[in-house]
């Protein structure tokens, strides 16, 4: 076989919605630095081993400058990673750290603990509504999607009533294949205008939300952010806090219901909720594209020299199944601890909203176990279908009864 | 056990505080880690080891 023929198409399709492609194992053991072709037709280098992925994500030489002229485009249409807008938030170094510290204080463990009772109430109301409508329900549409949107809208001070528009706007950014370039651009224009109006309104009358506080800090001369940065931060938080968590809720519950023993074990011992959430994040075989990085200078990974201009794709999902990092990596172990999975990335850019996401996922399980102990999938596991083309993986629907 | 944290590395992910709230906290003004107890008692060692293992920026060092 010539080298040409060996080039893999990426993303690698999953054989089943909840199972990893067999290819991962082969790549990790025989081809940890693999050449792949992206949906755009551009070439990239795929990493699948735990150590490599973790090291690259934490290494600032691997930048997020996916707008560089020779960086690989992920899809012909662009999407999130090749978006000019994503460059407005500082990409690395001290400026990124300064931005991050202004925002992350809203996502501390203590703040999340304080928000927990409110999240629990939202979750209970959504479950009550689903039950009222009668079985079967769609855990994705009825529960997984609205919960994180309500929570992040509240933090940003934007009306949750607009959530259908947010969903559409973030989908155009996150779906790498579904939309035409013109559709994505129009949607981004609307989203930008919406946030811009919102920030202007807040500037006139500050509230007690995150964006108001960012405004209150002042401009860059006072250690704060520019208006444009505040606006893009708002957009980024809405997008980042939305489909990721929403899809994870559906996938986590599906994985637990797919094997009744798992659900029963949790019912018998709800103190396993915390480690179950971590294990679900690790075990998620359908987590989406992974993280792309661009190399402005020549660098070495796992003994392979990567020329400057290389675009690297880190598959955290493949890394999370690496036997050399996790014992019995192909088993879902609800009490696994410690669980240093890479679902939230690693290093200075690692997910800023991870304490929020963790709290939401824990609340989801706590409320479901308490209110719907008889919950079960309303279709055979084999019929669960992955959504196509998303930077973030998920299931189309999660039909359940109780 | 002696615990040290590297504030420069810390990205404020809060994992340590979620796991061992008696040992770690985060500053209100920038979310960065602070140590409440640099020499935690034996009953907290397991939680502190877990925090060090999962910290996304490897900002927690242990001397045992
Ligand atoms: C299960 C849910 C989630 C998953 C799997 C997830 C995953 C990730 C990953 C892998 C990164 C790293 C990106 C990179 O290194 O380039 C990231 C970054 C980020 N996430 Fe999340 N995320 C989730 C939920 C959230 C939530 C709820 C929020 C906030 C509302 C959020 C906000 C962010 C932000 C702002 C960044 C960029 C951080 C930076 O560049 O410093 N995420 N997320
Ligand atoms: S877990 Fe690590 S990065 Fe997160 S707050 Fe603690 S020290 Fe900082």
């Amino acid at each position: 076989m010539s080298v040409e023929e060996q080039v893999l198409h990426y993303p690698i399709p999953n054989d089943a919605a909840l199972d990893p492609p067999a290819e991962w194992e082969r790549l990790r053991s025989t081809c940890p630095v693999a050449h792949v072709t992206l949906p755009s037709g551009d070439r990239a280098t795929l990493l699948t081993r735990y150590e490599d992925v973790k090291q690259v994500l934490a290494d600032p030489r691997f930048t997020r400058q996916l707008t560089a002229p020779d960086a690989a485009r992920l899809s012909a249409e662009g999407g999130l990673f090749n978006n000019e807008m994503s460059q407005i938030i500082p990409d690395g170094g001290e400026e990124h750290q300064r931005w991050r510290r202004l925002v992350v204080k809203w996502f501390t463990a203590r703040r999340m603990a304080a928000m927990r009772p409110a999240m629990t109430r939202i979750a209970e109301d959504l479950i009550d509504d689903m039950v009222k409508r009668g079985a079967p329900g769609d855990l994705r549409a009825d529960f997984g999607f609205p919960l994180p949107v309500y929570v992040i809208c509240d933090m940003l001070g934007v009306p949750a009533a607009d959530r259908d528009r947010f969903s559409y706007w973030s989908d155009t950014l996150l779906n790498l294949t579904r939309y035409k370039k013109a559709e994505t651009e129009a949607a981004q224009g609307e989203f930008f205008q919406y946030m811009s109006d919102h920030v202007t309104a807040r500037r006139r009358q500050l509230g007690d939300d995150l964006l108001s506080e960012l405004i209150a800090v002042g401009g860059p001369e006072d250690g704060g952010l520019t208006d444009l940065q505040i606006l893009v931060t708002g957009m980024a938080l809405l997008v980042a806090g939305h489909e990721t968590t929403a899809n994870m809720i559906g996938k986590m519950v599906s994985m637990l219901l797919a094997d009744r023993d798992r659900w029963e074990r949790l019912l018998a011992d709800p103190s396993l909720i915390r480690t179950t959430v971590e294990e679900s994040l690790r075990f998620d075989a359908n987590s989406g594209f992974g993280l792309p990085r661009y190399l402005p200078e020549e660098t070495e990974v796992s003994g392979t020299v990567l020329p400057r201009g290389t675009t690297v794709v880190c598959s955290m999902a493949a890394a999370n199944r690496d036997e050399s990092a996790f014992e019995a990596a192909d088993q879902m172990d609800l009490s696994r601890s410690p669980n240093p999975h890479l679902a939230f990335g690693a290093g200075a850019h690692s997910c800023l909203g991870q304490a929020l996401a963790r709290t939401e996922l824990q609340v989801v399980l706590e409320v479901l176990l308490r209110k719907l102990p008889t919950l079960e999938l309303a279709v055979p596991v084999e019929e669960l279908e992955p959504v196509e083309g998303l930077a973030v993986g998920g299931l189309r629907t999660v039909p359940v009864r109780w | 056990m002696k615990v040290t944290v590297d504030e420069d590395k810390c990205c404020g992910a809060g994992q340590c505080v979620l796991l061992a709230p008696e040992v770690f906290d985060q500053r209100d003004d920038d979310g960065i880690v602070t140590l409440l107890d640099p020499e935690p008692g034996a009953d907290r060692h397991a939680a502190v080891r877990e925090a060090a293992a999962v910290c996304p920026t490897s900002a927690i060092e242990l001397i045992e």
Side-chain angles (χ1 to χ4, degrees), chain A residues 26-46:
Chain A
R26 188 189 67 82
L27 288 169
R28 277 190 310 257
S29 54
T30 63
C31 192
V33 184
H35 293 290
V36 292
T37 307
L38 303 178
S40 61
D42 289 354
R43 291 294 177 83
T45 298
L46 174 69

Side-chain angles (χ1 to χ4, degrees), chain A residues 97 101 109-110 274 337 347, chain B residues 7-8 11 19 25-26 50 56:
Chain A
Q97 192 178 63
R101 291 182 174 192
R110 210 158 359 118
R274 182 184 73 76
S337 157
Chain B
E7 290 184 12
D8 268 349
C11 70
L19 289 164
D25 200 359
Q26 285 167 283
E50 183 166 359

